[in-house]
Amino acid sequence: MTTLHTDSSSKDGLPATSLAKVLGRSEHAEEMVAACAQDLHVVNSVLREGLAEVGSLPHVDVALETNASVTERTEAAAAELSAVNLALIVEVKEQLRVENQLADARANANAAHQAAMHDALTGLPNRVLFLDRLEHELAVARRHGWKLAVMFIDLDDFKDINDSYGHAAGDLVLKVVAERLQATTRAGDTVSRHGGDEFLYLLTEVRDERDVIGVATKIIAAVQQPCDVAIAGLSISPRVNASVGISIFPDQEVSADALISAADRAMYCAKRHRSGYAMHGRK
């Protein structure tokens, strides 16, 4: 006979008392059927012996009476098993309903977390998530004596696109730029939309300033490519340029906010001199 076991709770921490009761009924019904089967086997043996011995008809009569009793018990067991099966169906449906509710709740929580940590337009990490990652990477860099860099990226004359084609076109261009920035990231690096037409870029495990400058140059070249977008049935190819400001830890300020501010100031220096990029603390 198969014995069914249940834990005191389901995998999601839900009480499994009702399910245990249903399974207990199933075990009891299984025992009843097994006992009836054994009795029927005995009855059949007696009947065979009675039929072989004509002079033993009273035994056959007793066996037939026993068989009738066993039949009733078997029918009762069958009815019990039927009730158990129905109860199990109800229980399984209820458990599936609860599991679906939990799955929906988890999906909603994940969606809420995604929305709270990512920019709605571009899907990039937002300022909150970027700052959290920067704080983490600063702690790692301090512990291992590594360098990291923060780049502040601003799109030059982006307002002209909004003025000429509308904000919907500007949003499409921002999405194209975001995709290009993501394409330049290495594993472990983070690109974020800071707001408007500004982006932040975190480079970890920096070995040499030249590597950072190489990435900045690559970003500027990628952004400068025409942005082919369609708006209201019209295809346009606006061009944008980027000004990039760079700050490096531990050469500059040691806090996350200070590194971002330093990169911001360097960006304005690059924009003012139309140099493409500028490094904080460098002339």
Side-chain angles (χ1 to χ4, degrees):
M1 180 183 70
T2 301
T3 303
L4 300 175
H5 300 280
T6 60
D7 297 326
S8 59
S9 62
S10 71
K11 65 180 180 180
D12 293 308
L14 296 174
T17 305
S18 59
L19 182 57
K21 289 180 178 179
V22 172
L23 294 176
R25 290 178 63 188
S26 178
E27 288 181 341
H28 179 62
E30 187 177 357
E31 291 171 355
M32 290 174 61
V33 172
C36 290
Q38 180 63 30
D39 288 344
L40 283 172
H41 176 73
V42 173
V43 169
N44 288 336
S45 298
V46 172
L47 283 172
R48 283 194 296 270
E49 292 175 1
L51 290 174
E53 299 176 8
V54 178
S56 302
L57 290 178
H59 294 86
V60 176
D61 292 337
V62 173
L64 289 173
E65 292 176 1
T66 303
N67 187 57
S69 175
V70 171
T71 300
E72 291 179 0
R73 289 161 59 190
T74 304
E75 290 174 350
E80 178 69 9
L81 281 173
S82 178
V84 168
N85 287 336
L86 289 175
L88 281 172
I89 291 172
V90 171
E91 186 67 23
V92 168
K93 286 183 177 179
E94 175 62 15
Q95 186 145 347
L96 286 174
R97 184 187 67 81
V98 172
E99 289 178 354
N100 288 336
Q101 286 181 336
L102 288 172
D104 289 342
R106 285 192 291 267
N108 290 336
N110 289 338
H113 183 267
Q114 174 78 8
M117 294 295 178
H118 291 78
D119 175 59
L121 175 65
T122 64
L124 293 177
N126 60 16
R127 284 177 290 182
V128 175
L129 182 54
F130 182 86
L131 188 60
D132 179 73
R133 291 184 180 176
L134 177 54
E135 294 279 9
H136 172 75
E137 292 300 334
L138 273 173
V140 173
R142 290 190 186 99
R143 185 163 60 249
H144 295 284
W146 293 343
K147 288 186 176 184
L148 62 78
V150 172
M151 293 192 292
F152 200 111
I153 305 164
D154 181 83
L155 304 183
D156 299 336
D157 302 320
F158 180 76
K159 183 175 180 296
D160 293 343
I161 297 176
N162 286 332
D163 292 342
S164 299
Y165 304 106
H167 288 278
D171 286 347
L172 291 175
V173 170
L174 287 174
K175 293 172 72 172
V176 171
V177 170
E179 291 172 358
R180 293 176 180 177
L181 292 176
Q182 278 186 306
T184 65
T185 59
R186 308 170 306 169
D189 292 345
T190 300
V191 61
S192 162
R193 187 184 179 199
H194 189 61
D197 61 342
E198 297 175 336
F199 298 85
L200 289 171
Y201 199 120
L202 169 62
L203 287 84
T204 60
E205 299 184 37
V206 172
R207 293 183 175 84
D208 191 282
E209 284 185 9
R210 289 173 296 184
D211 296 334
V212 181
I213 293 173
V215 174
T217 303
K218 185 177 179 181
I219 287 172
I220 293 169
V223 172
Q224 284 177 342
Q225 299 301 313
C227 296
D228 299 325
V229 296
I231 184 72
L234 177 66
S235 296
I236 59 176
S237 298
R239 287 178 177 269
V240 291
N241 294 313
S243 293
V244 181
I246 304 168
S247 63
I248 295 180
F249 170 84
D251 297 352
Q252 277 88 45
E253 288 85 343
V254 295
S255 73
D257 287 333
L259 280 169
I260 293 173
S261 296
D264 188 12
R265 293 193 297 272
M267 179 274 295
Y268 277 106
C269 180
K271 188 180 290 287
R272 184 168 58 252
H273 293 93
R274 296 187 175 276
S275 58
Y277 69 87
M279 189 168 294
H280 179 71
R282 305 289 194 275
K283 294 184 180 181

